[in-house]
Amino acid sequence: FLSSAKDQLSESDYRVLTQSSLDPSAKSADPLLKTWFDWEYEFRTYMTQARVNRLGFAVDVPYTSGNYVENLSQVQSILAGNNPLEVEEKLDGMRWNFLSELEKGEFFTFKNVQIYALKLLILLRQGRFTLEQGKELFERDYQNIIEQEQLGN
């Protein structure tokens, strides 16, 4: 995708396109990417808050503007799922839906190309989930829990 885009876009647009990331700590002066990074940061902050609350702590995680992720209860509901793969797929679905909302009313613009690139990153992320990796992470986390329990006794 990037090699094709490089041939079709101006140098400045291509440079902006290469800044596309799922990492909210990434920086860009581009308005769409700034909106995306702000949304992703707030989304992850809400996930943190939901996870902390799920552990029984009543803590409000600061630094959310409330401008992007409208439904903390939806995040909490997704995170309550028992299947980690399904949870990740649903969280990525929320990401996808946000990008689709940004795309509304855009026809054949650079913004479409940027959103396409971000959606590709979501799909690439999904493609990296494997049964073997899931088992390995589960075993590692389970061992950590057992070790922590044994240290506590």
Side-chain angles (χ1 to χ4, degrees), residues 1 11-12 24 39 63 72 74 77 83 90 96 98 102 122 134 137 147 151:
F1 170 73
E11 189 175 315
S12 62
W39 183 89
Y63 312 119
L72 176 59
Q74 183 180 6
S77 174
N83 183 320
K90 289 177 182 178
W96 191 279
F98 178 73
L102 291 178
I122 292 171
L137 292 172
E147 289 172 11
L151 289 174

Side-chain angles (χ1 to χ4, degrees), residues 119-152:
K119 286 182 172 182
L120 282 177
L121 290 173
I122 292 171
L123 291 174
L124 287 171
R125 179 181 185 278
Q126 284 291 311
R128 285 193 291 261
F129 295 135
T130 65
L131 183 61
E132 294 78 25
Q133 181 187 30
K135 284 182 179 179
E136 181 181 308
L137 292 172
F138 174 80
E139 290 296 327
R140 185 195 70 207
D141 289 346
Y142 184 75
Q143 278 304 113
N144 288 338
I145 291 168
I146 296 298
E147 289 172 11
Q148 290 299 319
E149 183 65 28
Q150 289 173 345
L151 289 174

Side-chain angles (χ1 to χ4, degrees), residues 31-75:
L32 180 120
L33 289 178
K34 183 176 179 345
T35 298
W36 167 252
F37 295 143
D38 289 348
W39 183 89
E40 181 66 19
Y41 177 82
E42 189 166 295
F43 184 59
R44 290 184 187 201
T45 302
Y46 275 11
M47 285 191 288
T48 300
Q49 183 174 347
R51 286 176 172 136
V52 167
N53 290 344
R54 188 173 176 198
L55 293 173
F57 300 101
V59 177
D60 284 332
V61 179
Y63 312 119
T64 60
S65 65
N67 293 334
Y68 298 106
V69 182
E70 297 175 0
N71 196 343
L72 176 59
S73 63
Q74 183 180 6
V75 174

Side-chain angles (χ1 to χ4, degrees), residues 21-35:
S21 173
L22 299 180
D23 180 0
S25 67
K27 302 291 181 211
S28 177
D30 178 77
L32 180 120
L33 289 178
K34 183 176 179 345
T35 298

